Amino acid sequence: MGTTTCTSAAVWDMQAERWRKSLKAQGLSDNTLRGYLYTARGWRKWLETEGYDIEPDDVESFHVDIVDKSSPANAAHHYRNLRVYITWLKKRKQITGGNPFDETEAPKVPDKLTPLLSDEDHAAVLLACRGTDLQALRNMALADFGPALWLSRRTGKPLSINGIKMMLNRLGERAGLADSLHAYRVRMTFYTVGRMQAVVKPD
């Protein structure tokens, strides 16, 4: 269906770099750029073994592989990123013929409730934050849902989004939680408990 001028890994890497500059010119954040480029590199690596003529079946197979290795939610995320990339390539006339995404559908993501932190989970996380140094105090502030001292121990600067994700993940593992600890889970727990205590008003 789609024929591309990108016929080698080197050419795909070159196009990915051009895409990065185009996205950067649009004012997208570095975090968003990293996500897009991660998808582009994964796609290029997958094509190395599958060939460079792009068909709807290729798009679907690429995302089935992601589902098998991770989750439908992750596959849906990469589907959206790759669609933006392929559309950009078509506008630059690097792909001729139809857009393979016109004949595909995004991976279905089943509904999944985020488990709230129980009192025992919260206590375990706080226990994992024990210490008197700045890092321990920062972790305690975050885990206790208060104003967080989100500073990097190494640089002394505010933690990046990825830094906070990594820190919460480590705390969850150290606390022995059954489900991963992430910012959304903390926020939903705070919101739900607050609603029950009439502290947080609904929108």
Side-chain angles (χ1 to χ4, degrees):
M1 178 179 182
T3 301
T4 175
T5 60
C6 305
T7 55
S8 70
V11 176
W12 275 101
D13 285 341
M14 179 182 67
Q15 293 296 348
E17 176 59 18
R18 289 177 176 173
W19 187 43
R20 183 193 69 80
K21 291 179 179 178
S22 177
L23 294 172
K24 186 75 172 179
Q26 297 175 34
L28 299 184
S29 70
D30 289 341
N31 192 56
T32 299
L33 290 177
R34 280 192 293 270
Y36 275 135
L37 290 177
Y38 185 79
T39 298
R41 294 186 184 111
W43 172 247
R44 183 266 294 165
K45 186 176 181 180
W46 188 84
L47 287 177
E48 286 184 48
T49 59
E50 301 297 328
Y52 293 103
D53 283 341
I54 304 173
E55 302 289 338
D57 286 347
D58 295 322
V59 173
E60 291 175 343
S61 295
F62 173 65
H63 291 97
V64 166
D65 284 352
I66 296 176
V67 170
D68 291 341
K69 294 176 181 177
S70 55
S71 68
N74 192 34
H77 170 75
H78 286 292
Y79 180 93
R80 292 190 296 270
N81 288 354
L82 186 58
R83 182 166 197 149
V84 174
Y85 187 27
I86 296 300
T87 300
W88 179 85
L89 286 170
K90 276 193 62 63
K91 288 181 178 179
R92 296 297 180 97
K93 303 188 186 315
Q94 300 303 313
I95 293 178
T96 59
N99 188 330
F101 280 87
D102 292 341
E103 298 183 20
T104 63
E105 295 184 5
K108 302 296 183 184
V109 181
D111 292 334
K112 181 180 179 181
L113 295 177
T114 299
L116 301 180
L117 290 168
S118 65
D119 290 342
E120 292 76 13
D121 288 338
H122 189 196
V125 172
L126 293 178
L127 189 63
C129 296
R130 287 184 303 178
T132 58
D133 60 359
L134 178 60
Q135 183 182 23
L137 294 174
R138 176 203 65 189
N139 293 347
M140 180 69 76
L142 175 60
D144 204 23
F145 313 137
L149 302 174
W150 293 350
L151 300 177
S152 168
R153 181 178 60 175
R154 182 173 58 85
T155 66
K157 297 180 180 180
L159 285 172
S160 65
I161 293 175
N162 283 336
I164 293 174
K165 288 180 180 178
M166 293 172 62
M167 182 186 68
L168 286 172
N169 187 54
R170 285 196 297 266
L171 284 177
E173 291 179 351
R174 194 183 307 164
L177 301 188
D179 296 286
S180 62
L181 183 64
H182 47 80
Y184 182 72
R185 187 179 181 191
V186 173
R187 183 167 68 87
M188 285 304 298
T189 300
F190 173 70
Y191 178 80
T192 302
V193 173
R195 285 287 304 276
M196 293 173 63
Q197 297 176 349
V199 172
V200 179
K201 295 182 179 180
D203 295 334

